[in-house]
Amino acid sequence: MADESNTGPVAASEAAAETKAPTAKKQRSPRRQKATEQVKESKATAAKAKKYSEQERSDKLKLIETEVAQRDSTLKDAIKRAGISEQTYYQWKRAAKPVEQKAATPVPAGDELADLVQLEKENQRLRNLLAEKLRTENAELRKRLGLD
């Protein structure tokens, strides 16, 4: 049988455990829940993006350009009167620019090589003409100076 009067190392560790009180964790306040009515209201008040057709876009761009060209207003004022943002204006303008360039010069892929060959021939012909002209001028200069 164990002697209960013996207060050895085991008894000392039990006494130390009893003196240390466990610290309670700091309690957080619960998060507030958004009311479903507030969520519905915020969605209802957000402006819906308007989709413009290509014709409407080009009409607005032309209107802005004419106002600015007539010096009636600045570019920013003309954009505001058209009812679009500056970012939208520049995006539309950038998108419209390549279309205009492509429409101006439609070149099939097969013709590009033929055009390149033709340009190289023209370049060679012009080089030969320049070389001939320089030779004749050089010869005339030599005659005048009496070097020949």
Side-chain angles (χ1 to χ4, degrees):
M1 300 214 148
D3 184 25
E4 292 181 10
S5 64
N6 186 4
T7 57
V10 174
S13 66
E14 288 177 3
E18 289 177 4
T19 58
K20 286 186 181 178
T23 57
K25 289 187 176 181
K26 188 175 182 181
Q27 294 292 324
R28 282 183 159 178
S29 60
R31 293 185 181 172
R32 286 181 30 195
Q33 297 292 326
K34 288 187 179 179
T36 56
E37 295 174 15
Q38 289 177 347
V39 173
K40 289 179 183 176
E41 288 176 13
S42 66
K43 288 182 181 177
T45 58
K48 186 177 180 184
K50 182 167 176 14
K51 301 283 184 176
Y52 292 95
S53 68
E54 289 295 323
Q55 183 63 36
E56 290 173 321
R57 289 179 181 190
S58 64
D59 290 343
K60 285 191 182 269
L61 288 174
K62 286 177 186 175
L63 175 71
I64 292 168
E65 288 175 8
T66 55
E67 283 186 23
V68 172
Q70 294 172 354
R71 304 269 187 217
D72 292 342
S73 63
T74 63
L75 180 62
K76 288 185 178 184
D77 293 337
I79 291 170
K80 284 182 183 178
R81 278 194 218 114
I84 58 173
S85 69
E86 286 186 58
Q87 291 175 338
T88 303
Y89 168 75
Y90 288 113
Q91 287 174 353
W92 288 359
K93 191 165 179 153
R94 183 183 58 215
K97 191 174 182 180
V99 172
E100 293 171 0
Q101 289 176 352
K102 289 178 184 177
T105 57
V107 178
D111 290 344
E112 289 178 4
L113 183 60
D115 289 343
L116 183 61
V117 170
Q118 183 181 1
L119 286 172
E120 287 178 356
K121 287 180 181 178
E122 180 70 12
N123 191 15
Q124 188 61 40
R125 186 183 68 81
L126 291 172
R127 284 182 182 182
N128 289 339
L129 281 173
L130 180 62
E132 184 60 35
K133 186 173 184 177
L134 289 174
R135 272 189 231 117
T136 56
E137 287 179 3
N138 192 11
E140 289 175 7
L141 185 61
R142 285 178 163 261
K143 282 183 183 177
R144 277 191 239 153
L145 294 174
L147 296 174
D148 278 340

